[in-house]
Amino acid sequence: MPIIKILPHPEYCPQGASIEAAPGTSICEALLEHDIEVEHACEMSCACTTCHVVVREGFASLNEMDENEEDLLDRAWGLEPNSRLSCQAILAQQDLVVEIPRYSINHAKENH
């Protein structure tokens, strides 16, 4: 099974982590299954950008992006060439290194 290395994030994974996940699983599902509570405001239906991640290693092994995901990613904060919506990025056999961006577009989460 592929291993996903999650780089440290001050809120979701302060120490970083390495987790195993089955091929065919989305990055978002794998994170949630291992108690890394990445945002996913649309319940993984590809309708928002809150689960945006940057795949630092292993990007080419993921499934191809569809047009809907590409359009949504254009609205994500901190977009990079290796950005994906974690709910749409499906694991193959290769290990990944993933960074969860520090900020998201989830206005409902803001502390006012």
Side-chain angles (χ1 to χ4, degrees):
M1 284 201 292
I3 294 173
I4 304 172
K5 179 180 178 184
I6 300 95
L7 298 177
H9 183 281
E11 184 176 348
Y12 302 114
C13 194
Q15 304 304 314
S18 288
I19 61 174
E20 261 188 345
T25 303
S26 75
I27 293 173
C28 188
E29 290 169 326
L31 295 175
L32 294 171
E33 287 172 5
H34 289 86
D35 299 320
I36 300 170
E37 297 297 324
V38 66
E39 291 185 54
H40 56 287
C42 71
E43 295 302 318
M44 298 183 269
S45 66
C46 194
C48 72
T49 63
T50 60
C51 72
H52 167 230
V53 296
V54 180
V55 182
R56 297 289 180 205
E57 293 179 22
F59 183 85
S61 71
L62 299 170
N63 62 312
E64 286 194 36
M65 262 189 267
D66 66 17
E67 191 173 313
N68 190 29
E69 181 181 0
E70 288 177 5
D71 290 345
L72 282 168
L73 275 172
D74 286 341
R75 298 184 222 158
W77 290 0
L79 184 67
E80 295 188 22
N82 289 345
S83 289
R84 289 294 303 261
L85 296 181
S86 65
C87 70
Q88 300 301 302
I90 306 300
L91 297 170
Q93 297 291 334
Q94 189 173 342
D95 294 347
L96 302 177
V97 175
V98 173
E99 180 178 353
I100 302 169
R102 187 170 178 114
Y103 302 104
S104 93
I105 199 164
N106 187 3
H107 300 292
K109 187 177 176 248
E110 292 180 8
N111 296 323
H112 290 285

